[in-house]
Amino acid sequence: MKIFRDPIALQQELKGLQSSIGFVPTMGALHLGHRTLIEEARRRNGTVVVSIFVNPTQFLEGEDLESYPRNEEADRRICELSGVDYLFYPSAERMYGQDDVYVGAPDVRGYVLEGASRAGHFDGVLTVVLKLFHIVTPTHAYFGKKDAQQLALIKQMVQDFFLHVNIVAVDTVRESDGLALSSRNLYLSDAERHEALKISYALKRATTMIAQGIRDTAVITREMHKIMGSLEVEYIAFVDNEFHELPQVEIDNTIILIAAKVGTTRLIDNIQL
Ligand code: PAF
């Protein structure tokens, strides 16, 4: 596995490759969810590139940029063992200047739900992903469905900017008890981890209600609030694949999303029908 820290050097290196390039952008603290993305990329591409960059522009003032888990050595070993060909580890100084050009998230889809709670977050995500795409020039890029809104916006950016990359969405990986894997789970104490299970339980309860024929999203939302009573719920939302709010569940066209705080840790999860 080759490690690059300089964007231009990596761009030069990858330019001449004949094989398809599978790219997994990450912020490190790699877990089984990331490994699943890497395995998927490995299966379908001649070359696999992983980037690890805790992107400062997607963190808002007061968020966990400084404390975000970083473990270069463990991440490097995971990449090596997973058969990654190139690990890209840039510094913030190489990725950003003083007075940069930014990508703006769309006014509607970029500013609801996560975008409403974290205004400007998706500008940072889209900006760094566009930069990474230009450096790596992947044929396929792999993203987890857990960040459903991020995934939708990246797909939109690819369309709107006529980028030559296939976005591959990979199912959320869960612990055996249902907790969605996230690097931020590392912040949870044992008691908080137990509390956090209410999030996936609420999603499961919603799907059971839907299987029983209930379609009214207000009714299902009330039940989900009851389950998550002790958490600080930021939103429960039923949206279609275009991220428009739904009053009634539409089978095959509904994503149920939750953002909630467990202690001081903000977690998100979703399920797609
Ligand atoms: O999902 C993430 O880890 C990040 O938002 C991403 C896509 C690597 C951009 O920094």
Side-chain angles (χ1 to χ4, degrees):
M1 183 175 79
K2 290 187 179 173
I3 300 179
F4 280 75
R5 293 188 186 268
D6 182 57
I8 307 291
L10 179 64
Q11 197 180 40
Q12 289 300 328
E13 167 91 10
L14 297 175
K15 214 160 124 185
L17 288 184
Q18 297 300 317
S19 65
S20 67
I21 300 178
F23 177 42
V24 182
T26 81
M27 297 208 300
L30 302 181
H31 51 64
L32 189 60
H34 298 110
R35 273 166 48 199
T36 307
L37 299 178
I38 296 170
E39 273 165 23
E40 201 60 31
R42 183 69 287 167
R43 240 197 308 277
R44 293 172 195 280
N45 298 277
T47 301
V48 174
V49 182
V50 171
S51 65
I52 295 181
F53 180 56
V54 182
N55 172 37
T57 62
Q58 70 188 74
F59 288 79
L60 271 61
E61 198 75 19
E63 289 190 342
D64 55 344
L65 172 62
E66 299 310 324
S67 59
Y68 195 84
R70 291 166 171 84
N71 196 341
E72 187 167 339
E73 184 53 29
D75 287 348
R76 192 182 54 71
R77 280 180 57 77
I78 288 173
C79 287
E80 234 159 24
L81 292 171
S82 308
V84 171
D85 299 299
Y86 294 95
L87 177 56
F88 180 42
Y89 228 129
S91 65
E93 291 69 35
R94 290 300 285 126
M95 291 296 280
Y96 293 104
Q98 299 291 322
D99 184 22
D100 292 341
V101 175
Y102 280 93
V103 178
D107 286 346
V108 180
R109 277 168 115 201
Y111 284 87
V112 292
L113 304 171
E114 283 304 282
S117 301
R118 309 178 70 194
H121 165 71
F122 286 123
D123 297 358
V125 170
L126 295 176
T127 299
V128 81
V129 169
L130 185 63
K131 284 176 189 254
L132 290 167
F133 282 175
H134 283 302
I135 295 163
V136 176
T137 58
T139 39
H140 297 82
Y142 296 79
F143 294 89
K145 289 186 188 171
K146 189 171 89 63
D147 296 299
Q149 197 174 358
Q150 165 174 288
L151 177 63
L153 292 171
I154 290 169
K155 280 184 179 167
Q156 185 178 346
M157 178 173 74
V158 166
Q159 262 188 13
D160 291 357
F161 288 178
F162 307 99
L163 303 179
H164 279 289
V165 52
N166 296 299
I167 302 300
V168 184
V170 178
D171 284 342
T172 301
V173 180
R174 297 179 181 279
E175 304 271 13
S176 54
D177 56 12
L179 184 70
L181 294 192
S182 162
S183 302
R184 290 191 168 98
N185 291 352
L186 290 171
Y187 298 149
L188 301 171
S189 67
D190 286 350
E192 286 171 342
R193 194 197 169 288
H194 189 71
E195 279 288 284
L197 287 177
K198 290 178 180 169
I199 297 173
S200 54
Y201 182 63
L203 289 171
K204 222 185 210 161
R205 178 81 187 108
T207 53
T208 306
M209 291 175 80
I210 293 162
Q212 288 165 346
I214 302 167
R215 296 285 178 273
D216 187 331
T217 60
V219 171
I220 305 170
T221 302
R222 268 200 298 279
E223 178 71 10
M224 293 171 76
H225 268 295
K226 269 191 225 155
I227 291 167
M228 295 195 293
S230 57
L231 308 184
E232 194 187 315
V233 178
E234 222 168 82
Y235 61 75
I236 295 173
F238 288 69
V239 297
D240 64 15
N241 293 331
E242 297 301 313
F243 277 78
H244 300 124
E245 292 250 11
L246 290 172
Q248 294 284 317
V249 170
E250 293 175 11
I251 303 298
D252 289 336
N253 186 30
T254 300
I255 313 173
I256 312 172
L257 303 110
I258 296 177
K261 266 189 170 169
V262 184
T264 54
T265 306
R266 187 176 183 282
L267 298 175
I268 58 171
D269 199 354
N270 69 78
I271 203 153
Q272 235 158 312
L273 301 179

